Amino acid sequence: LFTCIDHVAYACPDADEAAKFYIETFGWHEIHREENPDQGILEIMMAPAAELTPDMTQVQMISPISETSTTAKWLEKNNGRAGLHHMAWRVDDIDAVSATLRERGVRLLYDEPRVGTGGNRINFMHPKSGRGVLIELTQYPKN
Ligand code: V0V
Ligand code: CO
């Protein structure tokens, strides 16, 4: 069902500042950034190399750009402290994977996939289904 861990996400008040820290302290590279108004976040994809290899796991810095975003709520509940927020599993066919997971009793947050990073199609398993971990499914646009 799953290809690899696409990214691990770090939620913080200022994704840009977190990205700078990774670049200056760890020598990581910024691969991509965008604002996602649907999710109410700025997200910056970081990698340990300047060029991504096919299955390289990235770190996704996320910070809220809207007070009503779920990430703003998460930070508030965490008393403003940054930390690991979710991991994303790459899939080839999110519709097929979602159907299989639902059959197995997994609760997905959205009825249909929504727009994720770089135009990916994304959905999330509820943290209760992920045994305390928020797990994203992400499918890259097909050529
Ligand atoms: C909440 N919970 C978590 C969690 N957030 N557990 C693990 N990891 C997290 N990140 C737990 C929380 O402790 C509660 O457990 C329970 O879930 C309900 O949480 P809540 O605080 O009452 O909040 P809700 O239910 O209003 O919202 C939680 C969910 C929400 C997961 C439904 O955060 C959501 O819709 N997330 C999906 C969207 C998202 O995260 N977007 C940002 C990244 P107890 O206390 O009941 O035990 S967007 C992204 O990654 C993109 C675009 C991309 O990669 O392409
Ligand atoms: Co993500």
Side-chain angles (χ1 to χ4, degrees):
L1 291 177
F2 312 106
T3 309
C4 65
I5 298 177
D6 184 81
H7 62 267
V8 174
Y10 175 83
C12 56
D14 184 348
D16 208 36
E17 192 273 331
K20 280 201 187 81
F21 173 70
Y22 266 51
I23 290 166
E24 287 165 12
T25 310
F26 302 140
W28 280 48
H29 301 263
E30 180 177 326
I31 301 291
H32 175 80
R33 71 165 59 208
E34 72 181 73
E35 290 194 356
N36 185 321
D38 181 39
Q39 295 288 340
I41 54 157
L42 164 66
E43 55 109 340
I44 306 175
M45 285 294 195
M46 307 293 300
E51 298 290 332
L52 285 181
T53 54
D55 289 350
M56 190 181 282
T57 303
Q58 300 173 79
V59 170
Q60 180 180 47
M61 308 300 184
I62 62 178
S63 56
I65 54 170
S66 119
E67 281 171 21
T68 53
S69 67
T70 58
T71 306
K73 181 180 177 187
W74 184 90
L75 278 169
E76 213 167 283
K77 276 186 92 171
N78 212 31
N79 297 315
R81 282 194 302 271
L84 292 181
H85 182 267
H86 66 270
M87 67 172 155
W89 295 353
R90 197 183 300 169
V91 298
D92 286 330
D93 185 344
I94 196 169
D95 298 310
V97 170
S98 300
T100 301
L101 291 176
R102 286 194 181 99
E103 266 168 34
R104 295 179 185 173
V106 172
R107 178 170 155 206
L108 298 181
L109 293 185
Y110 313 138
D111 290 340
E112 292 294 334
R114 291 194 190 171
V115 179
T117 186
N120 283 15
R121 298 175 70 217
I122 64 169
N123 206 335
F124 291 86
M125 301 184 215
H126 191 276
K128 297 278 182 257
S129 286
R131 299 295 174 96
V133 176
L134 178 62
I135 300 172
E136 176 187 341
L137 304 173
T138 187
Q139 180 199 304
Y140 283 67
K142 292 195 169 141
N143 307 319

